[in-house]
Amino acid sequence: MAAHSGGLTAVAPSGSSRTAPRTGAGSPTVSVRGLIRGFGPKGVLNGVDLDIAPGEFVALLGPSGCGKSTLLRALAGLDHDVKGSGVINVPDRVSVVFQDSRLLPWDTVLGNVTLGLRDHDADAKALADAQEFYRDLKSRTAAAGRDPESIKILPGIVPVIGDTAEEAQALERELDRLIKPEYARIQLAKTLRVAPEDLPLDRQLPDNLPSEDEIEGAKSRYTLIVQLARREKLTVRELIGRLGGGRGHRTFTGTALQVADAIQEWFDGGAADGFNIMPPVLPSGLEAFVDLVVPILQERGLFRTEYTGRTLREHYGLGRPDNRFAGADGQALASIGSAF
Amino acid sequence: MGRQLKLNLFIYPGGHHEAAWRHPKSRPDRLLDIRFYQELAQRAEAAKLDAVFYADGPALESNVQYATRFRLEPFTWLSAIAAATEKIGLIGTASTTYLEPYNAARLFASLDHLSGGRAGWNIVTTGAERAARNFGLDEHPPHAERYSRADEFVQVVGKLWDSWEDGAVVSDAGTGVFADTSRIHPIGHQGDHFRVEGPLNTPRSPQGRPVYVQAGSSADGKAFAAKHAEAVFTAHQTLQSAQDFYADIKALAAAEGRDPEKLLVLPGISPYLGSTEAEARALRQEFDELTQPEYGLGILRKLLGVDLDGLKLDDTFPDDLLASAGRESSRSQLLLDTIRRERLTVRKVLHRFAGARGHYTVAGTPLQVADEIQLWFENGAADGFNIMPPWLPGGFEAFADEVVPILQSRGLFRTEYSARTLRGHFGLDRPESQYSPAGQTTQQLQGAHA
């Protein structure tokens, strides 16, 4: 439970206000006392008191403009620089599903519902997304009458490896700093269909981006980029760093052990049959992966120590396809005669 | 040093004799093994040859029932050869009828980069009717239209190769500038056949432009070669025919405002070697006897456009039949001349044809073959040759081991490479980008040759 003042100028909506005393069992989950809100000269909420018990379901009814959304936004700590006073106690984690146009059109329902959760656990969300993709594609493969094992799902990962986690992060920052943001911002603006000036480098992406339906071309890459930025609350500069690092692919930054753990988590967790390793720098990035991560994966029995096959199909465990024409009652060169 | 021969190894799977794969000297088991070809190219490089040449067409050729008529795609093949060699040139065929210029420009620029400047483009309009139906066309475009397209195709490819000026890649880690975009140019080509915006997505290659090679000897083909080609592959059965062609194409090049020495004429030659001439002839006979007449008869029918049903293998061709035969292509004209001149029987024609598809076959001692090469070279018939071994690898090994040293001892062929690029081997200049200041000056001086 956290106490805050509903996003008033004086107090940040999260962080410092989370140090408020926790309430005991049986206490309301949400508690509002004397909440006053106004925009300009107009008063909207005038001394609202509200308690919501754990598990309680509350609906606010009233005509348009009576202050329902204002109360909701105050609870979620979304409004900054508004006039008002009062005390608000809400749980540490608050999620808001906006009505119609305030929904994030690039995201799933689950993504909208869990919007507030995600910056606490971006890794878990990325894994969940990969798992969902994996399940979806395997089931579509089965639905197409194929063995789901006959399609290998190989996400791209950019391993940024250091002797310590700090070293790895320092390497990632060093690489990001080498990117010239001017050009990358123009490219990003093209992808997002906005003007480059609408993407200040040290601000997050603007709210009013086009929906995926309006994007011609690489729709899924558009969605992926927007989701990544929203999920991790990245500034444009940080986003450019991420995209420069792997053009939207997943970056694993850490020690060899941490990278191996992450790979295993995705592999064992139904998110991947394997990976496309995308070294951030060649050849050193590949060498680090091959020398440091591969042995750990081999040690754990997760990766071969010798080739058992000679063909790519054999490496992937895919069968050699039958020839659809062999033995079939169709035309053959021999029956065409002199033309061939 | 005087003028020296240019020699290419022209590799056909198994060799150029259509029945080569049946001969015990052949290695039909290795025809899909890239190491087989890499070893051959290394052998050719050890003999200091200028280039290996791989011909191609986008359709299955006839007679796969009796001959090794399959193809490996040339860029895949040449890339593997590039990785196994260091100096020798790499010439591949690409069709102006069944590719887009952007594809062709990328393929050759890439090959030129990864080989360090050894790529050459055998520009063909594709002769095979059958290719059309592999590309959504009901029929092969007519000759004139193919050459019209080829002309524009070559111009577009040249623009794309030039679209990055030399030095456009600055790779300055300090400023973070990788490429100087003032030296990368959209080509904005709008023509009858192509609209290509450019630029190419590959930096300008080591040779600037890979070497332009051409292999059609029809009137359209010669006009095209005179305008664009830097080497011409051609087929001649006699010194006289080769001399006529040589004089003609050099004059045409001069008429285009070009230096005739920058257009190399390289006839094909398929040598059978023996320690005596009789031994060499017997060797050729061995291969010819392995030929299946059925397929050759089909080819003859097609080339001559006449019905051969009444003829027996040991009959000579009746005059009225020869008179009614078609002579549209340079190849059918060549064949008719040969039949008439030598009063050949059907079987002899089939054998002649099986040897190297109309190219010059010669059977003799190494000295005789070297003499023949020198004769053509010094009498206005050839600037060098495409060596077309009847079978592989032995047919080439014999040439490399026994004929090349004679040519070297006569000062007619290099004993060491003096260059690292195909342009260097062929004695051709490296062109400036037409978009660079120097290139624009050159263009004004030389006219519009692209």
Side-chain angles (χ1 to χ4, degrees):
Chain A
M1 181 70 74
H4 68 74
S5 57
L8 292 176
T9 314
V11 185
S14 60
S16 61
S17 64
R18 292 183 193 280
T19 56
R22 293 183 172 272
T23 51
S27 308
T29 293
V30 173
S31 166
V32 175
R33 291 290 174 271
L35 188 65
I36 293 172
R37 278 287 184 278
F39 299 97
K42 189 183 175 202
V44 178
L45 302 177
N46 190 9
V48 172
D49 295 336
L50 175 65
D51 286 318
I52 302 174
E56 191 180 1
F57 203 86
V58 173
L60 299 175
L61 300 175
S64 181
C66 77
K68 304 182 297 294
S69 296
T70 301
L71 175 57
L72 196 66
R73 294 176 67 81
L75 293 178
L78 292 175
D79 285 334
H80 298 247
D81 301 326
V82 296
K83 289 179 188 165
S85 61
V87 174
I88 299 172
N89 281 291
V90 294
D92 280 337
R93 291 185 173 185
V94 178
S95 298
V96 177
V97 180
F98 299 102
Q99 65 186 37
D100 55 74
S101 61
R102 305 305 290 272
L103 288 168
L104 305 180
W106 50 82
D107 213 340
T108 59
V109 172
L110 183 67
N112 274 286
V113 173
T114 58
L115 179 69
L117 296 175
R118 282 177 292 170
D119 72 297
H120 297 290
D121 208 344
D123 290 344
K125 179 61 172 70
L127 174 59
D129 285 351
Q131 286 166 329
E132 173 55 28
F133 178 84
Y134 187 96
R135 271 193 300 272
D136 184 46
L137 188 51
K138 292 278 183 176
S139 69
R140 285 168 191 261
T141 305
R146 296 178 53 200
D147 177 359
E149 288 292 305
S150 73
I151 188 167
K152 302 300 174 188
I153 297 177
L154 309 174
I157 53 164
V158 181
V160 183
I161 299 162
D163 288 342
T164 64
E166 292 71 32
E167 253 180 52
Q169 281 153 15
L171 173 60
E172 188 181 9
R173 280 195 303 273
E174 186 188 348
L175 290 169
D176 288 351
R177 266 200 307 274
L178 294 174
I179 297 173
K180 303 283 275 189
E182 294 83 358
Y183 166 74
R185 187 168 69 148
I186 292 168
Q187 290 305 105
L188 183 62
K190 268 187 204 160
T191 306
L192 301 181
R193 294 259 310 257
V194 297
E197 307 81 74
D198 293 341
L199 299 176
L201 283 171
D202 293 308
R203 304 269 300 266
Q204 292 183 24
L205 294 183
D207 291 332
N208 54 340
L209 290 173
S211 71
E212 188 181 288
D213 293 341
E214 298 170 61
I215 299 298
E216 297 295 330
K219 287 175 187 287
S220 65
R221 183 51 56 95
Y222 169 84
T223 301
L224 185 144
I225 289 171
V226 174
Q227 283 183 353
L228 170 71
R230 304 279 187 211
R231 185 169 67 232
E232 306 195 19
K233 298 205 183 337
L234 301 174
T235 64
V236 168
R237 191 188 299 276
E238 288 166 337
L239 179 60
I240 285 169
R242 284 297 179 80
L243 300 179
R247 301 184 311 283
H249 287 271
R250 180 78 186 148
T251 300
F252 286 164
T253 303
T255 63
L257 204 61
Q258 287 171 326
V259 171
D261 285 345
I263 284 176
Q264 182 165 9
E265 187 183 18
W266 281 45
F267 182 65
D268 288 345
D273 295 314
F275 295 90
N276 266 328
I277 307 304
M278 303 170 56
V281 187
L282 289 172
S284 61
L286 175 67
E287 286 161 1
F289 184 83
V290 167
D291 293 345
L292 304 173
V293 180
V294 167
I296 300 172
L297 299 174
Q298 288 173 327
E299 176 78 28
R300 294 180 186 175
L302 295 172
F303 192 62
R304 69 170 74 83
T305 52
E306 290 297 337
Y307 286 109
T308 54
R310 293 185 62 91
T311 69
L312 180 57
R313 287 193 171 278
E314 286 166 353
H315 301 332
Y316 276 178
L318 300 168
R320 187 172 187 276
D322 290 331
N323 184 327
R324 71 192 67 201
F325 295 113
D329 298 333
Q331 206 175 37
L333 287 191
S335 59
I336 296 172
S338 64
F340 271 90
Chain B
M1 192 188 305
R3 176 172 163 260
Q4 288 196 320
L5 286 157
K6 316 299 176 200
L7 297 177
N8 303 326
L9 168 58
F10 180 177
I11 296 183
Y12 227 60
H16 286 271
H17 193 288
E18 71 177 40
W21 65 276
R22 300 180 68 193
H23 197 280
K25 291 175 186 291
S26 288
R27 291 298 306 273
D29 57 317
R30 297 196 69 193
L31 297 185
L32 289 166
D33 173 3
I34 191 61
R35 287 166 301 185
F36 177 64
Y37 301 106
Q38 287 173 329
E39 288 162 18
L40 271 166
Q42 287 163 345
R43 201 76 187 67
E45 190 167 72
K48 316 300 177 197
L49 261 62
D50 292 78
V52 293
F53 166 46
Y54 195 78
D56 185 54
L60 180 62
E61 284 187 55
S62 298
N63 198 30
V64 73
Q65 185 176 10
Y66 297 123
T68 53
R69 293 294 193 228
F70 64 85
R71 272 284 176 279
L72 294 170
E73 190 286 315
F75 287 88
T76 315
W77 191 92
L78 287 166
S79 298
I81 301 298
T85 54
E86 290 176 0
K87 299 280 182 65
I88 196 161
L90 308 162
I91 300 171
T93 297
S95 169
T96 56
T97 303
Y98 296 112
L99 273 177
E100 285 287 317
Y102 203 89
N103 300 134
R106 292 188 70 195
L107 290 167
F108 282 103
S110 301
L111 181 63
D112 206 42
H113 274 292
L114 64 82
S115 66
R118 298 188 277 142
W121 174 19
N122 180 38
I123 308 164
V124 302
T125 64
T126 301
E129 297 270 340
R130 203 168 282 152
R133 293 190 293 278
N134 290 337
F135 291 84
L137 300 178
D138 291 330
E139 53 190 38
H140 201 45
H143 208 254
E145 189 186 319
R146 296 207 313 270
Y147 272 98
S148 158
R149 178 180 158 110
D151 192 70
E152 189 180 332
F153 191 110
V154 169
Q155 288 180 35
V156 175
V157 168
K159 289 179 182 178
L160 288 168
W161 283 339
D162 286 353
S163 64
W164 292 55
E165 291 179 40
D166 294 314
V169 175
V170 293
S171 194
D172 185 333
T175 61
V177 174
F178 177 71
D180 176 356
T181 48
S182 73
R183 289 195 273 180
I184 302 174
H185 307 273
I187 67 167
H189 178 89
Q190 301 267 355
D192 295 339
H193 300 275
F194 305 108
R195 289 188 301 139
V196 182
E197 180 60 33
L200 199 62
N201 60 355
T202 312
R204 197 152 196 264
S205 73
Q207 295 189 102
R209 296 174 214 157
V211 175
Y212 297 84
V213 180
Q214 189 271 351
S217 298
S218 66
D220 285 335
K222 279 196 284 195
F224 181 89
K227 198 170 165 193
H228 298 292
E230 297 168 295
V232 174
F233 296 162
T234 180
H236 298 281
Q237 293 283 342
T238 65
L239 176 63
Q240 181 63 51
S241 157
Q243 284 170 324
D244 291 347
F245 177 84
Y246 189 96
D248 191 20
I249 197 93
K250 296 270 179 173
L252 287 169
E256 289 283 342
R258 299 180 56 202
D259 176 358
E261 291 195 8
K262 304 299 180 188
L263 173 56
L264 305 170
V265 178
L266 308 174
I269 181 170
S270 191
Y272 294 82
L273 295 163
S275 54
T276 63
E277 184 179 336
E279 198 181 297
R281 285 177 181 280
L283 180 63
R284 178 163 72 185
Q285 188 66 22
E286 279 179 31
F287 280 88
D288 285 347
E289 295 295 335
L290 294 172
T291 306
Q292 303 268 9
E294 176 185 329
Y295 164 70
L297 284 170
I299 288 285
L300 264 186
R301 264 193 296 273
K302 205 165 93 185
L303 263 176
L304 302 181
V306 292
D307 185 5
L308 304 171
D309 285 353
L311 287 177
K312 295 195 175 64
L313 285 177
D314 291 310
D315 289 348
T316 53
F317 288 83
D319 285 339
D320 58 335
L321 186 143
L322 292 178
S324 66
R327 56 195 68 227
E328 253 113 82
S329 73
S330 52
R331 205 53 68 85
S332 48
Q333 185 64 49
L334 174 76
L335 177 64
L336 280 167
D337 290 349
T338 309
I339 293 171
R340 202 172 272 132
R341 187 176 60 248
E342 302 185 28
R343 302 300 304 169
L344 294 172
T345 64
V346 173
R347 188 189 303 277
K348 285 287 181 198
V349 170
L350 294 184
H351 286 174
R352 189 69 65 88
F353 230 73
R357 306 178 312 286
H359 285 270
Y360 181 45
T361 66
V362 54
T365 65
L367 210 58
Q368 286 175 317
V369 170
D371 286 347
E372 190 71 7
I373 286 174
Q374 183 168 5
L375 182 72
W376 286 43
F377 180 60
E378 292 182 342
N379 289 279
D383 295 311
F385 292 87
N386 262 331
I387 308 304
M388 303 171 59
W391 81 98
L392 292 170
F396 176 66
E397 286 165 353
F399 182 84
D401 291 345
E402 295 164 25
V403 180
V404 168
I406 298 172
L407 299 172
Q408 289 172 326
S409 73
R410 294 179 185 176
L412 296 173
F413 192 60
R414 70 174 69 82
T415 53
E416 287 300 335
Y417 286 108
S418 58
R420 296 186 62 89
T421 68
L422 180 56
R423 285 191 173 277
H425 303 330
F426 275 177
L428 300 168
D429 300 325
R430 184 179 187 279
E432 295 284 352
S433 165
Q434 60 197 288
Y435 299 103
S436 72
Q440 280 165 1
T441 312
T442 314
Q443 270 213 317
Q444 281 157 11
L445 290 174
Q446 290 188 341
H449 175 239

